[in-house]
Amino acid sequence: MTTTTVSKPGISREQISALTMSTLAFAVNFAVWVMFSVIGIKIKAELNLNETEFGLLVATPILTGSLIRLPLGILTDRYGGRIVYFLQMLAVVIPTWVLSYATEYWQYLVLGLFIGVAGGSFAVGIAYTSAWFSKERQGTAMGIFGAGNAGSSLTKFIAPLIIASTGAWQMVPKVYAVAIVVMAVLFWFFTYTDPLHEKDAQQ
């Protein structure tokens, strides 16, 4: 989907859509990013992990999410936030789903590295969202977008409910994988190329 420059004052439909979808995508990504803080307890019991091994398990996706923000930010500047955000979410789907079938400690660590890509959504989302607003409105927009980090808190409520209702922690990554696919599709169909990259594409 593409858009044209809106010249009249006020908030355009495209701006509202970009801000809303970016914030929701940020929340879903952060829920996935920190799910090891909940299911890791179950994994620790199953594998009889010591505290060091458990700490590494929980920290692995956090590490990846922190390190990948810079390259994702560079890609966003180069290609635009819409396509990078969409592909970033799709990149998280498979490792999240496969996590439910892991049985060995090393498998959890490797998958955790890939799941950590979800943490890079912050860099993409903030760049994509800010591109839609003037300097006078960027503060408000960033404040709304920042509310998406509530996803990390929501997962501590949602994941235990999934485990309690199904009796298996393996359902958590499956549900989250489906959720991020749905979020990626909604994001793609309800957002637009930001004005800067739309202008570049037309030249």
Side-chain angles (χ1 to χ4, degrees), residues 123-136:
V124 183
I126 200 167
Y128 175 68
T129 304
S130 63
W132 280 100
F133 295 89
S134 63
K135 292 182 179 179
E136 293 76 14

Side-chain angles (χ1 to χ4, degrees), residues 24-178:
L24 291 175
F26 182 31
V28 173
N29 271 288
F30 260 43
V32 173
W33 190 38
V34 301
M35 72 175 162
F36 272 115
S37 64
V38 176
I39 67 173
I41 298 173
K42 297 290 185 179
I43 297 172
K44 177 185 178 182
E46 287 184 4
L47 300 182
N48 195 26
L49 303 179
N50 58 42
E51 293 301 323
T52 300
E53 291 170 327
F54 174 67
L56 180 59
L57 175 67
V58 175
T60 299
I62 304 302
L63 175 63
T64 306
S66 299
L67 294 177
I68 204 169
R69 288 180 182 180
L70 176 58
L72 282 178
I74 294 173
L75 289 173
T76 300
D77 288 341
R78 177 67 179 85
Y79 298 105
R82 182 170 179 251
I83 183 63
V84 175
Y85 216 163
F86 176 69
L87 293 177
Q88 174 268 310
M89 284 187 275
L90 292 185
V92 177
V93 173
I94 293 178
T96 302
W97 180 272
V98 173
L99 180 64
S100 62
Y101 298 99
T103 56
E104 302 292 335
Y105 181 61
W106 69 267
Q107 295 173 341
Y108 292 116
L109 294 181
V110 171
L111 291 170
L113 288 173
F114 288 99
I115 291 170
V117 173
S121 60
F122 174 79
V124 183
I126 200 167
Y128 175 68
T129 304
S130 63
W132 280 100
F133 295 89
S134 63
K135 292 182 179 179
E136 293 76 14
R137 287 176 171 165
Q138 281 182 351
T140 301
M142 293 304 96
I144 295 172
F145 172 78
N149 66 19
S152 60
S153 298
L154 287 175
T155 204
K156 295 179 180 178
F157 173 73
I158 296 172
L161 285 180
I162 296 173
I163 295 172
S165 61
T166 63
W169 69 262
Q170 287 84 354
M171 283 302 299
V172 174
K174 288 183 178 181
V175 170
Y176 279 18
V178 172

